[in-house]
Amino acid sequence: MTLEEITISRAIISDHMETLLDYMEMDVAVVGGGPSGLVCSALIAEKGYKVGLIEKKLSIGGGMWGGGMMFPRIVVQEEARRLLDRFHINYSEFSSGYYTARSIEAVSKLTAAASDAGVEFFNLTTVEDVMVKGDGVLSGLVINWQPVEATGLHVDPLTLACKITVDATGHDAVISHQVAKKCGKPEIKGEGTMWAENAETAVVSHTKEVFPGLYVCGMAANAVLGGHRMGPVFGGMLLSGEAAALQIVNRL
Ligand code: 48H
Ligand code: FE2
């Protein structure tokens, strides 16, 4: 067989362009491919919904790659151990109720699970604004290529429609801030100081719809609703992603 460059190029463009056109309308758009967004998108897609995960960076995984201060390990507490099992992430017990896992394995397995569940990934894509029309519901996302944002080029964006959006953009809670700026709500309470135990409980109870059509999960939930930070313990991120998925699946 001969390999033909133009066929290779056509294959890439045609395959992804078809996907992009298909995902101009989706059930759930999860913004941010960190641990909470990965769990959330995997568990919704697993139920058969059309889920797109939009991530501005080249790689999926958010802040989990780096573990704690670049030691590539995460800690997961007893309450979330079942999710490590659920996603086949290996771990060992450090002391009673504290488990350590390798951050690279954790990211890879969550990404593989989301992919297997049918999540479509749109990396290098930044959500720069939201669509909210007369009914006051967030019904779409305004997207652009990340290099356009990074280089400051004046290139107008495109828009896609989604029934539900999940702000899983981490500490910056980018989508919630943008909605608050343009629509006057939700109120952004801001993230608190380091207080792991409190933060880990709060991140799950803060996982909710904060504006019609917009849910927050992961660190964004604590940033919007005023929770503390927890450092490199990741149980709360996994549990928050799961909590968001359960609420959204119930609603769809
Ligand atoms: C597309 C975007 C945009 C945008 C941002 O930070 P993350 O890992 O988020 P979580 O909440 O799943 O996990 C938080 C965890 O990593 C963490 O930081 C913890 C536990 N910290 C505790 C502490 O004390 O510090 O991932 C968010 C993702 C990133 O990959 C961003 O690139 C992406 O969202 N993102 N994607 N469009 N506008 N903004
Ligand atoms: Fe963090």
Side-chain angles (χ1 to χ4, degrees):
M1 177 197 147
T2 57
L3 270 179
E4 214 269 311
E5 296 80 0
I6 307 307
T7 307
I8 296 168
S9 304
R10 276 191 209 284
I12 302 269
I13 295 172
S14 140
D15 187 333
H16 190 65
M17 200 61 78
E18 233 172 71
T19 308
L20 201 51
L21 286 171
D22 185 25
Y23 277 75
M24 285 291 105
E25 288 176 85
M26 59 178 122
D27 294 319
V28 183
V30 175
V31 189
S36 69
L38 280 170
V39 170
C40 178
S41 58
L43 297 181
I44 299 172
E46 194 181 81
K47 299 287 179 197
Y49 296 103
K50 188 171 173 184
V51 183
L53 191 154
I54 305 172
E55 167 55 55
K56 72 175 181 180
K57 297 210 173 118
L58 178 57
S59 58
I60 302 296
M64 198 148 76
W65 291 110
M69 213 183 88
M70 293 195 205
F71 293 91
R73 293 289 183 276
I74 57 168
V75 167
V76 170
Q77 65 275 46
E78 188 61 48
E79 290 76 8
R81 178 156 69 114
R82 62 181 175 77
L83 287 168
L84 293 178
D85 290 327
R86 163 76 182 69
F87 291 105
H88 310 291
I89 298 165
N90 294 296
Y91 54 85
S92 45
E93 188 168 17
F94 176 73
S95 61
S96 181
Y98 292 77
Y99 301 91
T100 55
R102 297 177 300 168
S103 62
I104 292 163
E105 178 185 344
V107 169
S108 309
K109 290 200 170 155
L110 292 179
T111 308
S115 180
D116 287 347
V119 174
E120 197 61 62
F121 297 101
F122 299 95
N123 65 337
L124 293 172
T125 308
T126 302
V127 175
E128 60 167 65
D129 207 344
V130 294
M131 178 164 77
V132 178
K133 302 206 267 191
D135 60 2
V137 177
L138 201 174
S139 57
L141 297 175
V142 179
I143 59 165
N144 217 328
W145 300 121
Q146 188 274 343
V148 167
E149 180 196 59
T151 50
L153 291 173
H154 185 166
V155 178
D156 275 350
L158 295 175
T159 306
L160 50 81
C162 45
K163 291 180 192 146
I164 289 174
T165 297
V166 180
D167 183 352
T169 60
H171 294 275
D172 295 339
V174 178
I175 309 306
S176 303
H177 271 101
Q178 186 69 0
V179 173
K181 187 173 128 192
K182 297 248 171 126
C183 305
K185 55 187 180 164
E187 181 196 350
I188 311 278
K189 293 194 174 149
E191 183 186 297
T193 54
M194 181 71 83
W195 184 359
E197 191 179 347
N198 189 301
E200 286 288 279
T201 314
V203 75
V204 179
S205 61
H206 288 160
T207 299
K208 55 173 80 155
E209 188 178 26
V210 293
F211 181 89
L214 176 66
Y215 287 75
V216 284
C217 78
M219 214 52 228
N222 275 3
V224 173
L225 287 127
H228 288 264
R229 66 186 302 188
M230 67 293 283
V233 57
F234 278 79
M237 296 302 116
L238 309 180
L239 291 167
S240 169
E242 179 190 49
L246 286 172
Q247 292 173 42
I248 292 166
V249 165
N250 276 338
R251 178 168 161 176
L252 289 168

